[in-house]
Structure formats: C-alpha cells, structure tokens
Amino acid sequence: MAVRGHSAAAGAVALSLFLAGCAGGTGAPAATAQAPAASAPAADAPEPSGAKAPDRTAAAHRELAQKTRLQVVDDLRHVAEGMGDEALRFVQRGDARMDACMLDAGMLTPEAGGRAELLALVGELRRRGWRSDGEVAPGEEGVQATAEAGDWTVIVGLGPVPEQTRARAGANRGVLAISGWTETCGTP
C-alpha cells in the first residue's frame, strides 16, 4: 500500500507548509501527553454485516469506506488529539478545488515520535475505518506510513523538527506531518 513515489515528496511538502505557515505559535513546549500505546497493527476495520466476504472487489470496498473531506479531517484530528499542546493545523490553500481534493496538516510534538508511536496512530485510523498495510517507511526526516479510506490516501509522518526551523519550535523536538489526497473531487 505504500505510495513510494508520492510519500517522500508529500511528507516534505506537508512538513514545510506546516513549519512555514503554522508554527508561529508561542514556541512553548507542547503538552507531554502521549499518543495511545503502540500495539501490534490492528486488523482492518470489521466488515459491515451482510457484506460479501473476501471475494469483494476493490471498488466495492472503496465504496463502503467512502469518506468526505470533513470526515477525513475529523479522523485526523481525532488521531492527533493529545500529541501536543495545540490542535492539528490544516493548511488553507485558498483554492476550493485543491482544498476539496488535498490536505496538509501538522503539529509540533514534545518529542520526535518513532515507529511505535506511528503504529499507534495507524491503529487509531484503522479503528475509524481506514486500511493500512502497517508498513513503516524510515527516512532521513523520520518515519511514515500510508492509510486509505475510500478515495482518500494519507501519509502520516513523525520525526524531529528540521534544524532550519528549530528556532520557531521552541522546546518542542518533534513534528507530526500529514499529507492527503483523493483522485476524485467530491463535496468537501
């Protein structure tokens, strides 16, 4: 499920947009609340009653898991809750078509999260109906994983605050960056 060609670029865009436009807060350290405890990757969301078993097509699965942009934003806010002292911030592009089809969000965290924290976030997305293969891709900027729900794909990344923007991060040492997109533009 990993989207290799898009993941590094999308993660970098989300992180740079977040730090450039959203990190202008007080610089105070984020709250020390921890992400939910990491556990083994959860199974995909349970099938709705009456749904066909494994022979169901990918299109049918996509239709059952369809989410609006507002539902995606709600899911991501829920997953990020308690990771820092501020809520997850979403970049506003000023273009309704782009805002309907894409999103970038981020927040500062007291510590740079790693694999265990990322798997906990992915587990929370799964409980909200998202699918993920649980593959964690390490990179120079931290770790990231991909999840899908309906036509939406999101890349969730955790890592250290980049050196060039550390002064704006205050005592915070980590960042949660999320980038998402859909192939079809629906009603936001």
Side-chain angles (χ1 to χ4, degrees):
M1 181 173 300
V3 184
R4 294 270 185 247
H6 295 280
S7 63
V13 167
L15 182 59
S16 63
L17 287 172
F18 166 68
L19 291 172
C22 299
T26 64
T32 57
Q34 302 280 329
S39 60
D44 282 339
E47 297 291 334
S49 59
K52 290 184 180 179
D55 66 338
R56 191 173 66 184
T57 66
H61 190 289
R62 201 174 265 220
E63 185 177 311
L64 288 173
Q66 201 65 273
K67 289 186 181 269
T68 66
R69 185 182 195 281
L70 292 175
Q71 290 170 320
V72 171
V73 167
D74 184 57
D75 287 350
L76 297 174
R77 283 189 174 137
H78 171 80
V79 166
E81 192 173 314
M83 290 194 66
D85 66 345
E86 295 182 9
L88 187 64
R89 295 181 185 186
F90 289 83
V91 174
Q92 298 297 315
R93 290 180 174 79
D95 178 326
R97 179 165 169 79
M98 286 182 66
D99 278 338
C101 302
M102 300 170 60
L103 60 82
D104 290 295
M107 68 187 300
L108 295 170
T109 59
E111 300 295 327
R115 185 182 198 298
E117 292 82 7
L118 184 60
L119 287 174
L121 294 174
V122 170
E124 284 297 312
L125 282 173
R126 284 181 170 159
R127 284 184 271 290
R128 294 181 76 91
W130 291 75
R131 293 178 300 124
S132 178
D133 59 12
E135 182 179 339
V136 174
E140 292 178 25
E141 298 87 22
V143 292
Q144 59 188 14
T146 305
E148 296 177 348
D151 289 333
W152 281 94
T153 299
V154 295
I155 297 171
V156 180
L158 292 173
V161 174
E163 190 167 331
Q164 68 270 25
T165 57
R166 236 176 241 152
R168 288 190 274 167
N172 294 297
R173 297 183 359 195
V175 66
L176 164 65
I178 301 172
S179 191
W181 63 91
T182 182
E183 293 182 23
T184 61
C185 288
T187 304

